[in-house]
C-alpha cells in the first residue's frame, strides 16, 4: 500500500549557498515572501510545534533571535491556517558531520487554492535574490510514482530534496526547475537553453529556469503527458550523468557538483571568546564590587558590544535600578550553566539577552 499523503500538496524549495547566518538576510527572505505573496501571509509562527505566536508583520526582529550557525530549533516556521492554506520556513545553513548544508527556503501550498504563476514568479525572484544552486516547484506524486526506487521524485515530494541528496545525484526532473551555477557548469548553458520543455528562461549568467509542461496539475491529471516531457528532458541531458537512473547499479557514481557553501558572516564571529572566558572577567568585576551602578552596567554593555563586534543601544541612567544588577547576577549564573551543558559560543542570541538591561 502506498503511503497516504495530503491531496494536491505543492512544494516550493530554494537551496541557496548563502548561509543566512546574518539575521538581516534571514529577515529579508521572510519579508520578501510576505511582500510577493501577501495572500499567503502567515497567521501563526514559531520555532517549534505547536506554533505559539500570532504572526505580526510589524515585529520582524522576533523572527531572528540568533546569529551564526544555528542549533536545532533555531529556524522559524510560519503557517497560514485559513484559505488559501500555506506553510513557509527559512532554515540557515547547518554544519553537520555529513557535510554543511545549503540554506533552505520552503513553501507548501495546495493545488487549486493558489495561482501557480504567482508561485513561479516568487520562485524566480527568491532564486535570484539568494543565488540559488537548485530550486523547484513540485506536486503531490501520481500513483504511478509510488515505487521509490524507480521514481525517486515520490520521496523528493514528501521529503524535500536537500544537499545530502544532491551530493549523490539529482533525484529527478520536477515540474519547475531552476539550475544555478553548479549545474550550469555540469550541463552547459546552451545545452539547458536548448532542452525540450514547455518554457525555458535564462535568469542570470549561470541560472536557468525550466518548466516541463504548461500546468502543474498535468503531473496529476495527465501523468502520461508529464512523464513523457520529463523523460525527454532527462534524455536530452543524459550525457551529463547527473540524474538518478534506476537501471544503473547501486554503486554507480554520478556527476555531482562541489558546492561552494558560504559562511557570509562577519569573520569576527569565529574569533569571539568562549562564554566562560567572557563571563570570567565580567563576574570577577561583579564579585569585586565594580558593578554596582547604572554607569557600571553601561560600561559592561559597551565592553560586551566591543567584544562581540555588535552595536547595542547605549543605556541611560534612568534605565537602571540596583535590583537589575541582581538580575544580571542571576543571568550570569544561568549562562554559566548553559556554557557547562552546551559549550556554545557567544552569539547575538546571548548578547540579545543582555539587552534586557538597557
Amino acid at each position: 500500500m502506498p503511503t497516504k499523503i495530503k491531496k494536491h500538496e505543492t512544494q516550493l524549495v530554494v537551496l541557496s549557498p548563502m548561509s543566512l547566518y546574518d539575521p538581516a538576510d534571514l529577515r529579508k527572505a521572510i519579508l520578501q515572501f510576505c511582500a510577493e505573496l501577501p495572500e499567503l501571509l502567515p497567521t501563526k509562527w514559531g520555532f517549534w510545534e505547536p506554533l505559539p505566536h500570532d504572526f505580526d508583520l510589524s515585529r520582524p526582529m522576533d523572527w531572528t533571535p540568533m546569529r551564526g550557525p544555528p542549533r536545532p530549533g533555531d529556524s522559524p516556521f510560519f503557517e497560514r491556517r485559513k484559505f488559501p492554506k500555506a506553510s513557509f520556513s527559512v532554515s540557515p545553513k547547518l554544519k553537520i558531520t555529513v557535510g554543511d548544508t545549503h540554506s533552505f527556503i520552503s513553501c507548501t501550498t495546495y493545488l487549486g487554492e493558489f495561482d501557480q504563476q504567482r508561485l513561479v514568479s516568487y520562485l524566480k525572484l527568491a532564486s535570484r535574490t539568494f543565488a540559488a544552486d537548485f530550486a523547484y516547484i513540485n506536486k503531490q506524486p501520481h500513483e504511478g510514482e509510488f515505487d521509490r526506487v524507480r521514481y525517486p521524485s515520490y520521496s523528493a515530494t514528501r521529503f524535500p530534496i536537500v544537499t545530502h541528496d544532491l551530493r549523490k545525484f539529482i533525484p529527478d526532473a520536477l515540474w519547475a526547475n531552476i539550475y544555478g551555477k553548479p549545474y550550469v557548469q555540469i550541463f552547459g548553458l546552451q545545452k539547458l537553453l536548448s532542452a525540450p520543455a514547455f518554457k525555458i528562461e535564462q535568469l542570470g549568467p549561470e541560472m536557468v529556469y525550466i518548466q516541463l509542461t504548461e500546468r502543474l496539475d498535468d503531473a496529476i491529471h495527465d501523468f502520461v503527458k508529464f512523464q513523457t516531457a520529463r523523460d525527454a528532458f532527462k534524455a536530452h541531458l543524459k550525457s551529463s550523468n547527473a540524474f538518478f537512473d534506476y537501471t544503473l547499479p547501486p554503486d554507480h557514481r554520478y556527476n555531482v557538483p562541489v558546492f561552494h557553501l558560504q559562511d557570509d558572516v562577519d569573520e569576527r564571529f569565529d574569533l569571539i571568546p568562549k562564554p566562560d572566558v567572557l563571563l570570567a572577567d565580567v563576574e570577577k568585576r561583579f564579585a569585586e564590587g565594580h558593578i554596582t551602578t547604572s554607569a557600571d552596567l553601561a560600561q559592561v554593555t559597551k565592553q560586551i558590544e566591543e567584544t562581540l563586534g555588535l552595536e547595542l543601544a547605549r543605556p541611560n541612567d534612568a534605565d537602571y535600578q540596583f535590583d537589575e544588577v541582581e538580575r544580571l547576577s542571576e543571568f550570569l549564573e544561568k549562562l554559566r550553566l548553559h556554557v557547562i551543558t552546551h559549550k556554545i559560543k557567544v552569539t547575538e542570541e546571548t548578547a540579545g539577552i543582555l539587552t534586557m538591561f538597557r
Side-chain angles (χ1 to χ4, degrees):
M1 291 290 292
T3 303
K4 185 177 181 180
I5 62 175
K6 293 181 180 180
K7 187 177 181 181
H8 296 161
E9 187 174 289
T10 301
Q11 189 172 73
L12 179 155
V13 168
V14 176
L15 295 176
S16 167
M18 296 175 60
S19 71
L20 301 189
Y21 287 169
D22 189 328
D25 290 336
L26 198 65
R27 289 192 293 271
K28 181 178 181 180
I30 298 167
L31 290 171
Q32 184 181 72
F33 172 83
C34 294
E36 295 301 316
L37 303 175
E39 299 90 341
L40 300 183
L41 207 65
T43 56
K44 302 289 288 187
W45 80 278
F47 295 98
W48 56 83
E49 294 278 6
L51 301 179
H53 308 297
D54 292 331
F55 181 77
D56 185 346
L57 192 57
S58 68
R59 297 179 59 87
M61 299 298 288
D62 292 348
W63 311 329
T64 53
M66 51 78 69
R67 177 185 179 89
R71 302 186 306 275
D74 277 337
S75 301
F77 181 80
F78 304 83
E79 194 171 77
R80 180 179 176 83
R81 295 179 176 175
K82 58 185 179 181
F83 186 89
K85 292 185 177 181
S87 61
F88 173 74
S89 64
V90 183
S91 301
K93 166 185 167 180
L94 289 174
K95 291 179 176 289
I96 53 180
T97 55
V98 296
D100 292 0
T101 71
H102 289 84
S103 58
F104 190 88
I105 300 172
S106 176
C107 172
T108 298
T109 56
Y110 297 91
L111 197 64
E113 291 191 1
F114 195 70
D115 179 35
Q116 72 170 36
Q117 195 53 47
R118 297 286 305 286
L119 291 175
V120 167
S121 296
Y122 168 70
L123 178 76
K124 294 176 183 178
L125 178 62
S127 296
R128 287 194 297 262
T129 301
F130 297 100
D133 281 345
F134 185 84
Y136 67 87
I137 297 175
N138 203 30
K139 47 58 186 159
Q140 164 189 328
H142 181 273
E143 62 183 9
E145 296 179 87
F146 283 124
D147 182 340
R148 293 187 184 216
V149 174
R150 181 162 182 166
Y151 297 109
S153 58
Y154 168 69
S155 57
T157 304
R158 296 300 302 149
F159 305 100
I161 294 175
V162 296
T163 309
H164 181 62
D165 299 317
L166 297 177
R167 287 195 172 109
K168 297 182 292 184
F169 46 67
I170 303 176
D172 214 340
L174 306 172
W175 177 73
N177 311 264
I178 288 181
Y179 299 108
K181 181 176 180 178
Y183 289 103
V184 171
Q185 292 177 350
I186 284 180
F187 294 129
L189 179 61
Q190 293 307 314
K191 192 73 170 179
L192 284 171
L193 294 177
S194 63
F198 172 76
K199 186 174 184 179
I200 299 177
E201 180 181 350
Q202 185 173 350
L203 303 179
E206 294 182 290
M207 182 177 291
V208 178
Y209 171 79
I210 295 179
Q211 181 178 317
L212 295 186
T213 66
E214 180 179 5
R215 297 184 57 80
L216 180 55
D217 60 10
D218 288 337
I220 296 174
H221 303 308
D222 194 348
F223 180 68
V224 173
K225 173 183 177 181
F226 175 75
Q227 186 63 33
T228 300
R230 176 157 61 185
D231 288 344
F233 174 71
K234 290 195 294 183
H236 177 76
L237 299 173
K238 187 176 180 62
S239 62
S240 299
N241 185 35
F243 289 100
F244 171 79
D245 185 343
Y246 74 94
T247 66
L248 297 175
D251 60 352
H252 178 75
R253 299 181 71 87
Y254 293 88
N255 188 12
V256 296
V258 175
F259 297 114
H260 299 287
L261 305 181
Q262 306 164 17
D263 281 333
D264 52 73
V265 68
D266 195 321
E267 292 181 357
R268 287 175 295 179
F269 179 82
D270 291 327
L271 302 177
I272 293 172
K274 292 183 180 296
D276 48 354
V277 175
L278 179 64
L279 292 178
D281 178 62
V282 177
E283 290 178 316
K284 181 175 182 290
R285 287 183 285 126
F286 182 75
E288 293 175 350
H290 300 308
I291 302 177
T292 58
T293 68
S294 60
D296 297 334
L297 285 173
Q299 185 64 23
V300 169
T301 301
K302 179 180 179 180
Q303 291 174 345
I304 291 174
E305 174 186 69
E306 293 173 348
T307 301
L308 300 180
L310 302 173
E311 290 187 9
L312 305 179
R314 288 288 189 272
N316 300 315
D317 286 348
D319 293 334
Y320 293 96
Q321 300 296 331
F322 183 76
D323 62 344
E324 288 176 318
V325 178
E326 297 175 353
R327 289 176 60 202
L328 177 58
S329 178
E330 293 175 1
F331 166 72
L332 293 175
E333 183 63 35
K334 292 178 181 179
L335 188 53
R336 185 192 304 109
L337 179 62
H338 197 57
V339 170
I340 293 172
T341 56
H342 297 286
K343 300 295 183 183
I344 63 169
K345 289 184 177 182
V346 173
T347 68
E348 192 173 20
E349 180 179 26
T350 55
I353 296 174
L354 284 175
T355 64
M356 72 171 76
F357 302 105
R358 286 186 293 187

